[in-house]
Amino acid sequence: DIQMTQSPSSLSASVGDRVTITCQASQDISNYLNWYQQKPGKAPKLLIYDASNLETGVPSRFSGSGSGTDFTFTISSLQPEDIATYYCQQYDNLPLMYTFGQGTKLEIK
Amino acid sequence: EVQLVQSGAEVKKPGESLKISCKGSGYSFTSYWIGWVRQMPGKGLEWMGIIYPGDSDTRYSPSFQGQVTISADKSISTAYLQWSSLKASDTAMYYCARQDTGSGSYNYWGQGTLVTVSS
């Protein structure tokens, strides 16, 4: 099974800061990597799909990059409404399997 | 508008059975995979399994194989997650989500169903 290692597990930053979260796969997953935001008491929301594609309607301060085993999620200028937990998720077609990272809880400093 | 509407919160005793539902609307229900995701209290997201309602092709995470059953009734555009004998450790929020075509991403989510198992 493919393992995903997401870091850090928690992060405190100030409004306006650039924030970076990383996700590392235990083997090559090409660009089969998605990023989600989950606010307390809410369902997750897709932000980035296939490593670097911004989901429709998601603000452009969110971005993703990487391929193979190493991936990065970036918020270019942190806003108060970005306080949430962020998850990476990989998927594999053969066999059909999905794995979430452990999550990164983002707080305002 | 694409919507996934899940059934309401449940409180059950250990050993009881349960079936929760996820009704899709605003799209062709038979043409998209529907996945189920568990979130235990204060914990992260865990992928449980997925079903293609068009032909009921179903796949499970090894962690959940044999523990739950995923099914769908395409005549009423509804997917299900069921347990035959609940345990206290099944207490969690359960989400259904629709997979995007051509991508392994889940771009539409249900609101979640909270299952509480307690004696």
Side-chain angles (χ1 to χ4, degrees):
Chain A
D1 290 1
I2 298 173
Q3 306 300 318
M4 303 302 296
T5 303
Q6 185 176 340
S7 61
S9 57
S10 65
L11 177 56
S12 183
S14 301
V15 172
D17 280 356
R18 183 180 184 87
V19 171
T20 298
I21 299 169
T22 64
C23 211
Q24 185 171 58
S26 58
Q27 63 190 72
D28 190 334
I29 58 170
S30 184
N31 67 333
Y32 298 159
L33 193 284
N34 308 307
W35 292 96
Y36 298 85
Q37 175 193 67
Q38 187 181 31
K39 296 184 177 181
K42 299 292 187 183
K45 174 187 175 183
L46 177 66
L47 300 180
I48 303 288
Y49 64 95
D50 292 346
S52 60
N53 296 290
L54 193 67
E55 175 70 355
T56 302
V58 173
S60 59
R61 64 180 180 274
F62 297 101
S63 65
S65 65
S67 67
T69 60
D70 296 300
F71 300 87
T72 300
F73 171 81
T74 300
I75 306 173
S76 60
S77 178
L78 184 66
Q79 300 301 303
E81 61 266 30
D82 300 335
I83 298 313
T85 299
Y86 293 84
Y87 295 91
C88 63
Q89 174 237 328
Q90 71 85 21
Y91 62 98
D92 197 349
N93 286 326
L94 293 170
L96 200 56
M97 271 290 298
Y98 304 74
T99 307
F100 287 96
Q102 300 91 333
T104 296
K105 186 173 183 179
L106 179 55
E107 298 175 328
I108 292 284
K109 193 181 293 182
Chain B
E1 178 194 9
V2 174
Q3 283 194 310
L4 296 173
V5 179
Q6 297 185 230
S7 49
E10 302 274 0
V11 179
K12 292 288 190 179
K13 290 181 166 41
E16 291 186 332
S17 62
L18 176 64
K19 192 173 190 178
I20 63 174
S21 66
C22 169
K23 183 173 176 61
S25 63
Y27 73 98
S28 174
F29 184 74
T30 55
S31 300
Y32 293 82
W33 291 87
I34 293 280
W36 287 93
V37 174
R38 182 175 80 173
Q39 187 166 39
M40 300 177 75
K43 302 298 184 183
L45 305 172
E46 300 174 89
W47 181 76
M48 301 176 71
I50 196 166
I51 187 165
Y52 189 74
D55 60 6
S56 292
D57 185 3
T58 308
R59 317 290 176 88
Y60 294 92
S61 162
S63 299
F64 292 93
Q65 179 84 46
Q67 308 305 307
V68 297
T69 301
I70 293 170
S71 61
D73 184 342
K74 58 186 179 183
S75 70
I76 55 172
S77 301
T78 301
Y80 301 97
L81 178 65
Q82 68 180 89
W83 296 260
S84 59
S85 181
L86 287 159
K87 311 180 194 66
S89 57
D90 293 317
T91 294
M93 181 71 81
Y94 293 89
Y95 294 101
C96 65
R98 194 194 85 167
Q99 183 176 327
D100 188 28
T101 300
S103 160
S105 62
Y106 291 110
N107 56 351
Y108 291 96
W109 291 72
Q111 82 276 21
T113 296
L114 180 61
V115 174
T116 303
V117 184
S118 174
S119 55

